[in-house]
Amino acid sequence: MIKQERAERTREAIIRAAAAVFERDGFTTAPLGDITRTATVTKGALYFHFASKRELALAVVDEAADTVHWLLADARRRQDAELPLQILIDLSHALVGRLADDQVLRAGLRLGTDADLYPERVGLSLDWAGVVDEVMRGPGAADVASPSSDSGTLPAQRTQSDASGPTRPNLGKDALAYVLTGLELLFRRSPQLVEQDTLTSVWRLLLSGLTETGEADRYKPSGTGSGPA
């Protein structure tokens, strides 16, 4: 039992050391020697747990994928009870918080789009266009037999055609997905810049274009704290 626990600790130390090196250097140029030194293990210990550098990189991606799936599962769980935009706000805050502290997540997301590791497909990425569409459509979106006329639209878009007087600019789902993709990339590549206040300010700005006049007060741009910690 003690040996098994020690082996598990060693494996986790190797994964975390590998994440640090892969985040810095990428997959191809990451030296195994730097990984073993950072983990304070021998190459023999590394190869006991991982047959190759590729297998080690895939383990980092797998652990990052677990975190991504956990964050998305929480968002889906809340779809029946909460405003879709608030779910997206909370999801973005939860992700940014994790990116600031979780080097395995940052490295896994980088490795997930590394063409040398995944030459024929993307291994791991957060598809914000798909996430925004799914959350805005709600849990019953797959039932195409009874679509709602508002299904999948943002609040500001629903009354745009009925509005009298000059129409004000509003953001669509694609634009929102582009913004969230850019924010993820920024905070992932520069975790030292991560501040929840920055994200809150961005959401305050976005809400003015995503909601009907006077409706922005229904949302908390700093997040509700209901998402995963």
Side-chain angles (χ1 to χ4, degrees):
M1 187 67 176
I2 294 176
K3 287 185 178 180
Q4 181 180 350
E5 291 176 355
R6 185 182 301 122
E8 289 174 355
R9 287 197 300 270
T10 299
R11 185 180 189 279
E12 190 60 27
I14 293 170
I15 288 176
R16 298 198 175 281
V21 177
F22 285 137
E23 182 187 18
R24 184 192 70 200
D25 296 336
F27 171 67
T28 302
T29 59
L32 283 177
D34 284 7
I35 295 173
T36 56
R37 279 191 294 273
T38 302
T40 63
V41 299
T42 64
K43 280 195 175 181
L46 186 150
Y47 282 118
F48 175 80
H49 291 279
F50 304 99
S52 64
K53 184 167 76 168
R54 178 176 295 275
E55 185 176 305
L56 175 54
L58 293 176
V60 173
V61 174
D62 284 345
E63 191 163 316
D66 287 343
T67 299
V68 171
H69 295 155
W70 174 63
L71 291 169
L72 294 177
D74 180 79
R76 294 185 179 107
R77 177 184 60 79
R78 299 165 57 200
Q79 280 182 287
D80 285 323
E82 300 183 34
L83 294 167
L85 266 180
Q86 189 63 61
I87 294 173
L88 291 172
I89 292 169
D90 291 351
L91 173 61
S92 67
H93 276 284
L95 176 67
V96 164
R98 292 303 295 258
L99 286 173
D101 302 326
D102 191 338
Q103 195 164 44
V104 174
L105 177 60
R106 297 196 304 268
L109 285 168
R110 173 176 179 171
L111 289 170
T113 56
D114 191 310
D116 291 324
L117 185 60
Y118 294 97
E120 297 180 358
R121 63 182 177 88
V122 173
L124 174 66
S125 68
L126 240 172
D127 175 18
W128 280 108
V131 171
V132 169
D133 184 67
E134 179 183 347
V135 171
M136 295 309 302
R137 287 181 179 276
D143 183 9
V144 295
S146 56
S148 162
S149 60
D150 286 345
S151 178
T153 60
L154 293 163
Q157 295 175 297
R158 294 177 185 167
T159 58
Q160 189 70 21
S161 60
D162 299 329
S164 59
T167 58
R168 66 186 180 85
N170 66 77
L171 296 174
K173 288 189 298 179
D174 288 346
L176 176 57
Y178 297 152
V179 171
L180 292 173
T181 300
L183 287 171
E184 179 211 324
L185 187 61
L186 171 66
F187 289 136
R188 173 158 56 88
R189 290 188 174 179
S190 304
Q192 71 277 8
L193 299 179
V194 171
E195 290 186 9
Q196 297 291 348
D197 287 347
T198 301
L199 185 57
T200 297
S201 297
V202 171
W203 272 113
R204 283 200 185 97
L205 184 63
L206 289 174
L207 283 170
S208 65
L210 292 171
T211 60
E212 301 170 31
T213 302
E215 290 294 302
D217 290 343
R218 299 178 65 195
Y219 302 93
K220 190 172 182 181
S222 59
T224 64
S226 299

